[in-house]
C-alpha cells in the first residue's frame, strides 16, 4: 500500500529533479554567455546589453516553469494525502471488540458516525438492555418494531425458513440456560432442555412486515445476536458511502466487511482464523465490497467434566451442534445474510451446507473447516482464496 509518506517522498524527488535541471542548465548557459559577452565587449558593446536582456528573460521563463511545476507537485501531493487519509477507532460493543476504519477526506467524520450508529444499534437490538426493542418484546410478547428491528427480524424469519430451522432467533431461552449470555456456564438437565425446546420455533412468530407488528409464541423469547453484527457492519458500509468514503473496513469480532478496495486499488486481504490455533490462519481471501464472516465453536465455549461445550446450539436438540465442522466462513455482498448463514451452515454440517450453497450460490460462497482439519471452499472462491493448506473445491 502506498502511504502518505511514500507520496511525499515521490513528490520531493520529482521536485529535486526539476530543481537540478534548473540549476544545471542556466550555469552552462551562463558560462557560454560570459565568453560571448567577452567577445561582444571587444567588438560590440551594445550587443552585450541586448544579450543580458535575453538571458534575463530566459531565466525568468525557466524559473516560472519550475514554480508552476512546484505548485502542481504540491497540489497533487495534498490531493493524494486527502484521498489516502486514514481514520480509525476501536470500541467495545455488542459483547465484542470492534475496529472501524475509513480512508479519504471525510474519513474521520465517517468513522465518528459509524461508531455512533454501532452504539445506537446495540441499544435498539440487545436482548439484555431494558430500553431495547427486543427486551421490551420479550417482556410483553407483542408490540410494534422500529425500522431496524423490523428489517432484521424479517431477514431472520426468511433465513429460518430457507435453512429449515437451522437458524432460529427463538433459541434465546436455551442460550440463557446454558449460561452463554452471562458467562455463568452450566450444563442444563435433559428435562430443562426438553421443556425449553417446546418454545423454540420461529414459525410460530406472527409478524406483519407492513405494520411492523409482531407477536411471539407462548413463553417464547428471541435474541438477534446471531445476525445483528452482520446487519451492523452493513449499516456502517452505508454510512461510509453516504459520507463519500470509497475505501473502508469494519471488523466486528469475527465479522469483517470491506468497502471498495484498498487505497492503492488492490483488493483487501482478509485472513481466516485457524480454529486450532488463534495466532495462525488457514488462508486468505481477496475481496472488495464483501463481508467475510466466520462462526466456530472455538469462539466461545466452556469445559465441564472433561467435555467441551460451545455456544452454537442446534435448535432441534438444544445442545451444542455436533455437525463435524469446526468453523464456517461466509463471503457475501450482504453482511446480514453472511452473519446468519455462518451459524446456519455450522449447524447443518458439511453435506447439507454444500447442498444449501448449491441452491443459493448466487448469494454467497463459503469456507468449511471440518473437525478432522479438512478444508473445503466453494467454486466462487477458487480464484481469490489462497492457503498453505490443502483444500478441496466444491462445485
Amino acid at each position: 500500500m502506498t502511504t502518505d509518506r511514500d507520496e511525499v517522498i515521490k513528490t520531493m524527488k520529482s521536485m529535486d529533479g526539476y530543481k537540478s535541471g534548473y540549476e544545471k542548465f542556466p550555469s552552462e548557459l551562463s558560462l557560454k554567455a560570459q565568453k560571448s559577452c567577452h567577445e561582444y565587449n571587444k567588438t560590440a558593446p551594445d550587443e552585450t546589453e541586448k544579450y543580458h536582456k535575453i538571458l534575463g528573460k530566459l531565466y525568468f521563463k525557466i524559473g516560472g516553469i519550475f514554480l508552476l511545476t512546484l505548485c502542481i507537485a504540491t497540489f497533487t501531493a495534498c490531493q493524494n494525502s486527502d484521498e489516502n487519509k486514514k481514520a480509525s477507532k476501536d470500541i467495545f460493543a455488542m459483547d465484542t471488540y470492534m475496529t472501524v476504519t475509513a480512508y479519504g477526506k471525510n474519513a474521520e467524520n465517517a468513522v465518528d458516525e459509524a461508531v455512533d450508529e454501532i452504539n445506537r444499534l446495540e441499544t435498539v437490538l440487545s436482548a439484555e438492555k431494558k430500553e431495547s426493542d427486543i427486551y421490551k418484546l420479550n417482556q410483553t410478547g407483542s408490540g410494534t418494531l422500529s425500522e431496524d428491528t423490523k428489517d432484521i427480524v424479517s431477514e431472520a424469519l426468511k433465513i429460518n425458513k430457507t435453512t429449515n430451522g437451522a437458524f432460529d432467533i427463538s433459541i434465546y431461552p436455551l442460550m440463557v440456560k446454558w449460561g452463554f449470555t452471562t458467562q455463568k456456564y452450566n450444563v442444563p438437565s435433559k428435562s430443562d432442555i426438553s421443556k425449553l425446546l417446546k418454545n423454540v420455533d420461529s414459525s410460530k412468530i406472527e409478524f406483519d412486515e407492513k405494520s411492523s407488528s409482531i407477536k411471539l409464541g407462548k413463553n417464547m423469547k428471541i435474541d438477534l445476536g446471531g445476525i445483528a453484527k452482520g446487519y451492523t457492519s452493513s449499516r456502517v458500509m452505508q454510512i461510509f458511502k453516504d459520507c463519500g468514503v470509497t475505501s473502508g473496513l469494519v471488523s466486528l469480532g469475527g465479522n469483517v466487511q470491506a468497502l471498495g478496495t484498498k487505497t492503492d486499488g488492490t483488493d483487501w486481504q482478509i485472513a481466516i482464523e485457524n480454529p486450532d490455533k488463534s495466532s495462525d490462519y488457514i488462508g486468505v481471501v481477496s475481496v472488495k465490497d464483501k463481508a467475510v464472516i466466520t462462526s466456530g465453536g472455538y469462539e466461545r465455549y466452556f469445559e465441564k467434566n472433561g467435555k467441551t461445550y460451545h455456544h452454537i446450539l442446534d435448535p432441534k436438540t438444544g445442545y451444542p451442534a455436533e455437525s463435524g465442522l469446526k468453523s464456517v466462513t461466509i463471503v457475501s455482498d450482504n453482511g446480514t445474510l453472511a452473519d446468519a448463514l455462518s451459524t446456519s451452515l455450522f449447524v447443518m454440517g458439511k453435506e447439507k451446507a454444500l447442498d444449501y450453497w448449491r441452491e443459493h450460490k448466487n448469494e454467497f460462497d463459503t469456507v468449511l473447516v471440518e473437525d478432522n482439519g479438512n478444508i473445503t471452499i466453494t467454486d466462487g472462491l477458487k480464484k481469490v482464496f489462497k492457503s498453505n493448506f490443502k483444500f478441496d473445491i466444491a462445485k
Side-chain angles (χ1 to χ4, degrees):
M1 181 185 292
T2 303
T3 64
D4 292 345
R5 180 176 179 272
D6 293 331
E7 289 296 331
V8 171
I9 291 173
K10 183 179 178 181
T11 302
M12 290 174 67
K13 286 182 177 178
S14 300
M15 290 166 60
D16 285 342
Y18 284 109
K19 185 177 180 182
S20 297
Y22 168 68
E23 290 176 339
K24 184 177 180 181
F25 180 65
S27 296
E28 292 177 349
L29 185 60
S30 180
L31 181 60
K32 292 179 181 179
Q34 288 176 21
K35 291 181 179 179
S36 299
C37 286
H38 179 67
E39 296 299 322
Y40 282 132
N41 282 335
K42 288 182 180 177
T43 57
D46 292 339
E47 293 297 320
T48 303
E49 183 178 356
K50 180 179 179 181
Y51 191 85
H52 284 166
K53 289 181 179 180
I54 294 173
L55 186 61
K57 289 180 180 179
L58 184 59
Y59 268 104
F60 177 77
K61 287 181 179 179
I62 294 174
I65 292 171
F66 169 65
L67 182 60
L68 178 61
T69 303
L70 176 61
C71 290
I72 292 173
T74 303
F75 173 76
T76 302
C78 291
Q79 190 177 41
N80 288 337
S81 179
D82 283 343
E83 291 174 356
N84 296 334
K85 183 180 178 182
K86 177 182 177 181
S88 184
K89 280 190 176 181
D90 297 323
I91 63 171
F92 184 83
M94 299 183 179
D95 199 31
T96 191
Y97 289 98
M98 304 180 177
T99 301
V100 183
T101 304
Y103 295 86
K105 61 182 180 180
N106 293 325
E108 189 171 346
N109 181 53
V111 168
D112 287 342
E113 288 192 24
V115 169
D116 288 344
E117 179 68 353
I118 290 170
N119 289 326
R120 184 188 72 82
L121 287 174
E122 180 183 28
T123 301
V124 171
L125 305 175
S126 171
E128 307 296 327
K129 293 182 180 292
K130 293 183 178 181
E131 62 269 38
S132 78
D133 283 2
I134 301 304
Y135 182 90
K136 293 174 183 176
L137 176 61
N138 285 338
Q139 299 305 306
T140 61
S142 62
T144 302
L145 302 178
S146 67
E147 190 70 21
D148 292 300
T149 311
K150 180 197 76 172
D151 290 345
I152 300 179
V153 167
S154 175
E155 189 71 12
L157 295 180
K158 289 176 185 176
I159 296 171
N160 173 260
K161 289 181 180 179
T162 64
T163 61
N164 194 29
F167 183 79
D168 199 315
I169 57 176
S170 65
I171 195 78
Y172 180 58
L174 275 163
M175 292 291 289
V176 174
K177 196 68 177 178
W178 279 91
F180 287 115
T181 60
T182 60
Q183 296 185 0
K184 295 179 180 179
Y185 303 120
N186 166 66
V187 179
S189 66
K190 290 183 179 180
S191 60
D192 283 342
I193 289 177
S194 296
K195 181 180 178 181
L196 292 173
L197 268 179
K198 295 177 182 178
N199 305 318
V200 179
D201 187 354
S202 287
S203 66
K204 294 180 179 178
I205 297 175
E206 298 176 20
F207 174 65
D208 183 71
E209 192 164 1
K210 290 184 178 179
S211 65
S212 300
S213 64
I214 186 171
K215 183 178 180 181
L216 303 181
K218 186 178 179 181
N219 297 321
M220 184 182 290
K221 295 181 186 297
I222 66 171
D223 175 34
L224 302 178
I227 193 171
K229 286 194 285 293
Y231 178 84
T232 301
S233 65
S234 292
R235 283 290 302 127
V236 170
M237 295 299 102
Q238 188 57 53
I239 287 171
F240 282 179
K241 292 176 184 178
D242 292 343
C243 289
V245 170
T246 57
S247 177
L249 194 74
V250 59
S251 175
L252 314 180
N255 296 30
V256 176
Q257 191 158 352
L259 175 65
T261 64
K262 294 190 289 184
T263 55
D264 62 1
T266 61
D267 289 350
W268 297 98
Q269 305 298 307
I270 310 300
I272 299 174
E273 187 176 344
N274 187 335
D276 292 324
K277 191 177 181 181
S278 61
S279 60
D280 194 11
Y281 53 91
I282 62 161
V284 174
V285 61
S286 301
V287 300
K288 58 181 177 182
D289 292 317
K290 297 281 187 183
V292 182
I293 296 178
T294 300
S295 289
Y298 63 93
E299 295 174 311
R300 188 182 303 176
Y301 63 91
F302 69 94
E303 295 180 358
K304 189 168 184 179
N305 297 327
K307 184 175 176 61
T308 300
Y309 301 91
H310 62 72
H311 73 293
I312 303 178
L313 303 184
D314 184 336
K316 289 182 171 58
T317 68
Y319 286 89
E322 296 182 355
S323 63
L325 293 176
K326 281 187 178 178
S327 75
V328 172
T329 298
I330 303 294
V331 181
S332 175
D333 297 336
N334 186 332
T336 309
L337 177 69
D339 198 7
L341 288 185
S342 65
T343 300
S344 306
L345 270 59
F346 185 95
V347 171
M348 291 180 189
K350 178 182 175 180
E351 296 308 320
K352 289 183 179 179
L354 291 178
D355 287 342
Y356 185 88
W357 166 75
R358 292 184 182 102
E359 294 177 8
H360 302 85
K361 61 171 62 179
N362 62 318
E363 298 178 44
F364 74 97
D365 277 287
T366 185
V367 179
L368 308 176
V369 182
E370 298 176 62
D371 288 341
N372 60 13
N374 289 346
I375 301 170
T376 302
I377 70 169
T378 50
D379 192 55
L381 297 177
K382 64 183 179 182
K383 293 182 179 180
V384 296
F385 179 79
K386 295 180 180 179
S387 176
N388 291 326
F389 296 91
K390 179 182 177 181
F391 59 88
D392 298 320
I393 302 175
K395 296 182 179 180

